[in-house]
Amino acid sequence: MSYKIIKIDPYLAPFEKDIDLRMNAYKEKRAQLLKKGETLSDFANAHNYFGFHREKGGWVYREWAPGADSMYLTGDFCDWHPRANKMEKLPEHGVFEIHLKGKNALRPGQKVQTIVIHNGEELRRIPLYATRVVQDPVTYLWCAEIEETAAPYAWTDEGFKPQKTPLIYECHIGMASEEYKVASYLEFKDNILPRIKDMGYNTIQIMAIMEHPYYGSFGYQVSNFFAPSSRYGKSEDLKALINAAHGMGIAVLLDVVHSHAVKNTAEGINEFDGTTYQFFHEGPKGDHSAWGTKLFNYGKDQVIHFLLSNLKYWMETFHFDGFRFDGVTSMLYHDHGLGSAFTGYEMYFSMNTDIEAITYLQLANELIHEINPNALTIAEDMSGMPGMCLPIRDGGIGFDFRLSMGIPDLWIKMIKEKPDEEWDMYKLWYELTSRRPKEKAIGYSESHDQALVGDKTIMFRLCDSEMYWSMAKNTESAVIDRGIALHKMIRLVTSTLAGDGYLNFMGNEFGHPEWIDFPREGNGWSYHHCRRQWSLADNPDLRYGYLLEFDKAMIALIKKENLLKKEGYSLWTGQDDKVLMYGKGNVVFAFNFNPSQSFEGYFVPVHEEGTYSVILTTDEERFGGSQRVDTNYKYKATRFPDGRIGFMCYLPQRCATVFKKTSKKI
């Protein structure tokens, strides 16, 4: 069967049989999982059966543990007696359950663990479907905590729909405070959400929500897949945050980690029933050599059931509007893409490709959009897998967007390895505009990845230690002047050219100094670098506020002119001049990256005659500029004798100016 993906990208024609193989695997697995007339949403209900649930006259607790010989439930409700509550093994393969009589047999706040007997060994485990997992402050041991399930949360977000063009504010709850501590869901709701709304972002992408024992993992070593991290508060607090965001018109995406899991056994799902193969591959195939984590067996029906149910749980219980899937490249390839350059199409269609993982991702996208047709899914894939963001029916994997992961690398390379006067304008245009045909991308110049200890944000890379001494408005510094100018230009060209959506990590919009370093033994368990210093942007005596004001204006421009839904077209690339010009609809962008030369009477080509006005310039005084561009002047675009259409204008060095056609032909 020939799928539309080949018409969209004719270079895939030699691999038609490989695409058929993938699609057949998806169809076969789907048919295998679903009974006649069932949907994926009907199937993905493991969380409604397993785990703890109130029932008439008490509670029921169920668990899937095929490798267990027997199981027991213990906790503070029975003084932690390990054999007081034996679970019954049901006829279903590997399912155990126990009924606890009495309404108060389990009370909210009580701690529980599961005792698994495997080959005569007693194993203490946290229930797989625990919805709250806490760490004892004295012993540091983790255990599940019973949550009240009787009273549903009073949501007020009925009818909310995320924007189709996401302007994403990537954030981490714990480090969102300026104080030296782990911040809470409610503090984020009260203090940070209003900031995000004021800045104009319409989507937040929250990291580190799924419970993880090591805070410094940034949430990417998940232990308990159905438990929102208790570090930040209770489940009701997270619901309040999401409900408040929806009330502000802000969609909420979960940074979901289904690519791997923490290897811990006492805290996580690894060896829950005493076997490695319950969820993961056995042997080296089940271990990620670079991350030190466990890898799921996506070919196993029970694993698919667990993961798909996990997605449905987050959507229905917490009203998440979609997901950013972490580590997709690792899932797609048996070698996890380590050291691969992906220079040819044949690398996507080889024995190295994990067809079972692709099938899981297709099923996941189908389920998510079945539950909420307006949901957004984003793939973190650096390999450029063809069809990642095409509909499944067309031979794709079904994501809505992929992250343009090469763009941050481009900026690091340019800033780090080349002086300004050697920046390649042709390469810049190519890298910012090259995407798979008909596949949407999220553009970004930096995310949390570029802020971690050992790396540098764009602003810190541009200015380095000078930021410690020269960010005051009354302090002169050529280094800071350069950093502020380029920071604005880099973000403007990236946000308007590199994708169909845009992403920024919290604080980077105002050039947050230094790096992110979670409290750990190596830094004396310090929170100094694990917080956001919002006061820097609010301080009228410092220059950080200039960058914040520019970011607000940039986001407002993108929204007002609907720029990310318009195709960009090249107008002029001046390699020697370091000038780049392009258009989107009636909006024209002129960037002069030249570090030393301003141009008087520079020709700006446009497609249509008429009057053009300046609608934004990085050099405005309110953004820390010198106001070298006259924002009131009207530029008359006419047809020149050589047939070109355009107008002459002044292009200051290290400055970007945005023009818009405001009247018809003169």
Side-chain angles (χ1 to χ4, degrees):
M1 178 179 178
S2 181
Y3 290 94
K4 191 175 179 181
I5 185 174
I6 296 175
K7 293 181 180 179
I8 293 172
D9 186 354
Y11 287 106
L12 290 171
F15 305 99
E16 183 172 359
K17 289 183 179 179
D18 298 275
I19 294 170
D20 288 341
L21 177 67
R22 296 182 185 186
M23 293 305 298
N24 290 337
Y26 154 75
K27 292 173 183 176
E28 289 169 8
K29 179 58 72 174
R30 192 179 186 282
Q32 180 182 322
L33 295 174
L34 305 184
K35 299 174 184 176
K36 187 176 181 180
E38 265 193 340
T39 65
L40 280 175
S41 184
D42 296 327
F43 169 76
N45 281 317
H47 56 294
N48 292 329
Y49 179 73
F50 295 111
F52 292 89
H53 300 282
R54 282 192 178 274
E55 63 176 4
K56 188 175 182 181
W59 291 76
V60 61
Y61 167 53
R62 297 189 188 92
E63 206 67 86
W64 172 67
D69 301 320
S70 57
M71 292 182 66
Y72 300 84
L73 178 66
T74 188
D76 53 10
F77 72 99
C78 63
D79 294 326
W80 295 100
H81 192 293
R83 305 292 176 101
N85 301 283
K86 186 172 184 178
M87 300 178 70
E88 178 188 0
K89 190 171 186 177
L90 302 182
E92 304 169 62
H93 178 60
V95 177
F96 293 79
E97 76 172 16
I98 185 172
H99 296 267
L100 300 172
K101 301 299 181 183
K103 181 180 178 181
N104 294 319
L106 290 175
R107 296 189 302 276
Q110 287 187 318
K111 312 297 190 296
V112 295
Q113 284 187 337
T114 305
I115 304 295
V116 176
I117 309 300
H118 173 75
N119 291 342
E121 185 180 1
E122 182 178 294
L123 309 171
R124 284 187 172 265
R125 297 290 187 258
I126 295 176
L128 291 174
Y129 292 82
T131 58
R132 181 169 172 80
V133 177
V134 297
Q135 186 178 31
D136 185 275
V138 178
T139 65
Y140 295 105
L141 296 176
W142 292 78
C143 60
E145 184 175 277
I146 299 299
E147 285 195 300
E148 180 56 71
T149 59
Y153 182 80
W155 293 94
T156 59
D157 63 348
E158 185 177 356
F160 174 80
K161 294 180 181 179
Q163 295 292 316
K164 293 296 184 183
T165 302
L167 301 169
I168 303 171
Y169 201 73
E170 185 187 36
C171 47
H172 183 285
I173 301 295
M175 59 177 290
S177 169
E178 187 151 353
E179 299 179 56
Y180 296 88
K181 67 174 188 177
V182 177
S184 71
Y185 295 120
L186 294 182
E187 287 174 316
F188 190 95
K189 174 179 73 73
D190 295 337
N191 302 329
I192 310 305
L193 275 182
R195 283 182 173 272
I196 297 170
K197 179 175 174 57
D198 181 59
M199 286 185 278
Y201 289 88
N202 60 28
T203 306
I204 58 175
Q205 177 181 298
I206 313 183
M207 310 170 62
I209 291 295
M210 304 164 79
E211 191 60 87
H212 47 290
Y214 180 46
Y215 189 45
S217 74
F218 233 135
Y220 290 125
Q221 294 189 9
V222 172
S223 53
N224 313 102
F225 284 74
F226 290 82
S229 182
S230 59
R231 290 181 178 88
Y232 319 131
K234 296 187 176 182
S235 295
E236 298 296 287
D237 301 338
L238 175 57
K239 292 175 183 176
L241 187 164
I242 296 172
N243 194 51
H246 288 168
M248 296 178 181
I250 299 171
V252 186
L253 306 181
L254 174 66
D255 199 341
V256 71
V257 185
H258 281 184
S259 48
H260 60 138
V262 73
K263 64 181 179 182
N264 305 30
T265 55
E267 297 91 356
I269 67 174
N270 185 27
E271 298 182 29
F272 176 84
D273 68 351
T275 69
T276 304
Y277 56 79
Q278 183 182 8
F279 287 99
F280 310 113
H281 291 290
E282 284 197 280
K285 188 176 180 181
D287 297 313
H288 198 294
S289 59
W291 297 343
T293 50
K294 301 300 296 182
L295 298 172
F296 287 103
N297 180 354
Y298 301 108
K300 198 169 182 178
D301 293 357
Q302 295 90 340
V303 172
I304 294 176
H305 195 209
F306 179 82
L307 295 176
L308 291 182
S309 299
N310 188 234
L311 297 172
K312 183 176 180 180
Y313 165 78
W314 289 111
M315 294 182 75
E316 293 196 340
T317 303
F318 291 94
H319 290 202
F320 277 99
D321 301 293
F323 303 92
R324 178 264 202 184
F325 277 72
D326 172 69
V328 169
T329 305
S330 175
M331 299 171 70
L332 294 175
Y333 308 98
H334 294 300
D335 68 357
H336 316 302
L338 298 174
S340 297
F342 296 98
T343 53
Y345 275 61
E346 67 281 354
M347 299 188 73
Y348 305 113
F349 304 96
S350 67
M351 296 297 292
N352 185 39
T353 305
D354 191 335
I355 302 297
E356 293 173 343
I358 291 176
T359 295
Y360 167 67
L361 291 172
Q362 289 174 309
L363 293 170
N365 276 293
E366 180 183 349
L367 169 71
I368 292 164
H369 294 103
E370 180 182 306
I371 295 171
N372 179 5
N374 297 299
L376 300 175
T377 59
I378 303 171
E380 188 206 29
D381 171 37
M382 52 72 63
S383 76
M385 169 66 76
M388 181 65 70
C389 302
L390 291 179
I392 298 170
R393 65 178 180 274
D394 294 338
I397 299 177
F399 282 94
D400 296 300
F401 299 88
R402 64 159 26 103
L403 290 175
S404 293
M405 298 184 69
I407 304 303
D409 294 338
L410 167 73
W411 288 120
I412 290 173
K413 193 173 181 66
M414 287 178 64
I415 296 170
K416 185 178 180 180
E417 299 180 3
K418 299 281 187 180
D420 300 15
E421 55 268 21
E422 293 181 16
W423 283 13
D424 189 330
M425 296 294 103
Y426 290 114
K427 183 176 177 61
L428 179 61
W429 170 263
Y430 175 80
E431 295 291 345
L432 290 176
T433 57
S434 294
R435 292 190 280 280
R436 294 282 179 203
K438 304 294 183 183
E439 298 194 43
K440 292 184 178 180
I442 301 293
Y444 64 108
S445 53
E446 55 183 340
S447 69
H448 72 276
D449 285 327
Q450 287 72 45
L452 293 171
V453 62
D455 206 340
K456 295 180 181 180
T457 63
I458 285 177
M459 189 60 180
F460 205 60
R461 192 174 290 279
L462 288 168
C463 301
D464 225 330
S465 61
E466 189 79 5
M467 292 185 73
Y468 296 130
W469 324 112
S470 304
M471 285 299 285
K473 290 180 179 178
N474 61 1
T475 302
E476 293 186 8
S477 169
V479 172
I480 298 298
D481 289 343
R482 170 182 179 265
I484 287 178
L486 288 178
H487 191 274
K488 291 179 289 186
M489 295 179 73
I490 287 170
R491 300 179 94 72
L492 181 62
V493 73
T494 302
S495 65
T496 57
L497 202 55
D500 310 272
Y502 176 66
L503 178 142
N504 165 65
F505 179 69
M506 65 177 187
N508 286 353
E509 70 280 356
F510 64 82
H512 198 287
E514 301 183 313
W515 52 88
I516 297 169
D517 189 11
F518 283 81
R520 54 188 172 86
E521 187 175 5
N523 62 20
W525 303 103
S526 170
Y527 284 89
H528 181 78
H529 291 290
C530 197
R531 60 198 180 100
R532 296 285 89 177
Q533 299 180 63
W534 307 105
S535 61
L536 294 176
D538 299 338
N539 189 329
D541 297 325
L542 300 179
R543 302 198 209 189
Y544 295 99
Y546 290 147
L547 298 179
L548 177 61
E549 286 305 308
F550 176 75
D551 200 78
K552 290 181 184 180
M554 181 183 78
I555 295 296
L557 174 71
I558 290 171
K559 293 164 74 172
K560 181 179 180 181
E561 302 299 334
N562 212 10
L563 292 174
L564 301 191
K565 287 191 175 181
K566 297 174 180 177
E567 194 73 27
Y569 51 88
S570 177
L571 291 170
W572 169 253
T573 303
Q575 182 71 297
D576 295 335
D577 297 338
K578 303 305 170 196
V579 170
L580 181 68
M581 298 185 188
Y582 57 93
K584 282 201 163 188
N586 286 328
V587 178
V588 174
F589 298 81
F591 286 79
N592 180 8
F593 283 98
N594 199 301
S596 59
Q597 188 173 359
S598 299
F599 298 104
E600 189 74 56
Y602 204 92
F603 180 74
V604 178
V606 296
H607 282 177
E608 295 178 341
E609 295 180 59
T611 301
Y612 288 76
S613 302
V614 175
I615 56 175
L616 183 71
T617 170
T618 59
D619 200 47
E620 292 181 52
E621 285 183 345
R622 60 184 175 133
F623 307 142
S626 302
Q627 201 67 51
R628 291 169 294 174
V629 176
D630 186 348
T631 53
N632 295 315
Y633 188 80
K634 304 299 180 184
Y635 296 87
K636 309 296 184 182
T638 58
R639 187 176 296 276
F640 282 62
D642 59 4
R644 295 180 301 164
I645 301 174
F647 55 87
M648 313 299 286
C649 80
Y650 177 57
L651 294 184
Q653 49 88 225
R654 285 200 186 116
C655 173
T657 304
V658 186
F659 306 91
K660 182 184 178 182
K661 183 182 176 185
T662 53
S663 68
K664 296 181 180 180
K665 185 175 180 179
I666 303 166

